[in-house]
Amino acid sequence: MWAYPLKQKDHAASTIRDDWLPFVERQSGHPCKSIRTDRGGEFLGGDLTATILETARALLIESGLGNSMWPHAVRHATVARNRVLTKVADDMWVPLERWLGKKPPVDMLRVFGCMAVAHVPKPEQGVATLGALKECAV
């Protein structure tokens, strides 16, 4: 499952064509033969959408970040959801492992909204800069 927040609904076709399709073809190593949509409705539906949206809400509440971080929370929830066990019928599997054919990386996962420190290169450091910036990780 993928999530691409859109500023406007009419950006959907260009986002699929320019961002999602090249990404999926590169990851799978195969060209995409067809794409199914619901002709402009919501691209997701049912329990899975509810799970992602509820997780995103919980991430925002727990982190104390504002609603402006909603797209980042949805992406974070989707990335995490693709890396946890899913039960379908009596079979347990990890969605991204099925897609990639190998265990997905989890070492890049961080707590949503945690403090992150980024190194500032010497030429860009000012008098008051200590060589690092503290920011919120999303």
Side-chain angles (χ1 to χ4, degrees):
M1 179 167 143
W2 297 273
Y4 284 85
L6 303 171
K7 289 187 180 189
Q8 295 178 339
K9 201 170 187 175
D10 63 348
H11 293 162
S14 62
T15 300
I16 290 170
R17 182 187 63 242
D18 301 338
D19 298 333
W20 179 80
L21 190 58
F23 172 75
V24 168
E25 289 179 339
R26 202 170 42 252
Q27 254 196 351
S28 69
H30 301 286
C32 183
K33 294 180 181 178
S34 66
I35 297 174
R36 287 189 196 177
T37 71
D38 58 2
R39 299 176 51 100
E42 294 298 325
F43 288 112
L44 299 174
D47 294 338
L48 189 55
T49 301
T51 300
I52 295 296
L53 297 181
E54 288 169 9
T55 303
R57 279 189 205 103
L59 289 170
L60 285 175
I61 291 167
E62 184 63 28
S63 68
L65 297 174
N67 287 339
S68 64
M69 292 291 144
W70 177 255
H72 300 289
V74 170
R75 292 286 299 261
H76 193 88
T78 304
V79 166
R81 182 71 183 91
N82 283 335
R83 286 166 171 77
V84 298
L85 280 173
T86 301
K87 184 173 183 174
V88 176
D90 289 329
D91 191 20
M92 296 288 287
W93 48 277
V94 176
L96 201 55
E97 187 173 353
R98 281 253 172 113
W99 172 251
L100 297 174
K102 60 183 178 183
K103 290 200 180 287
V106 294
D107 58 335
M108 69 351 156
L109 290 176
R110 300 289 181 265
V111 174
F112 183 80
C114 70
M115 190 57 64
V117 179
H119 171 72
V120 177
K122 285 261 188 215
E124 296 176 24
Q125 292 180 16
V127 175
T129 306
L130 300 175
L133 291 174
K134 278 187 169 182
E135 296 292 335
C136 180
V138 288

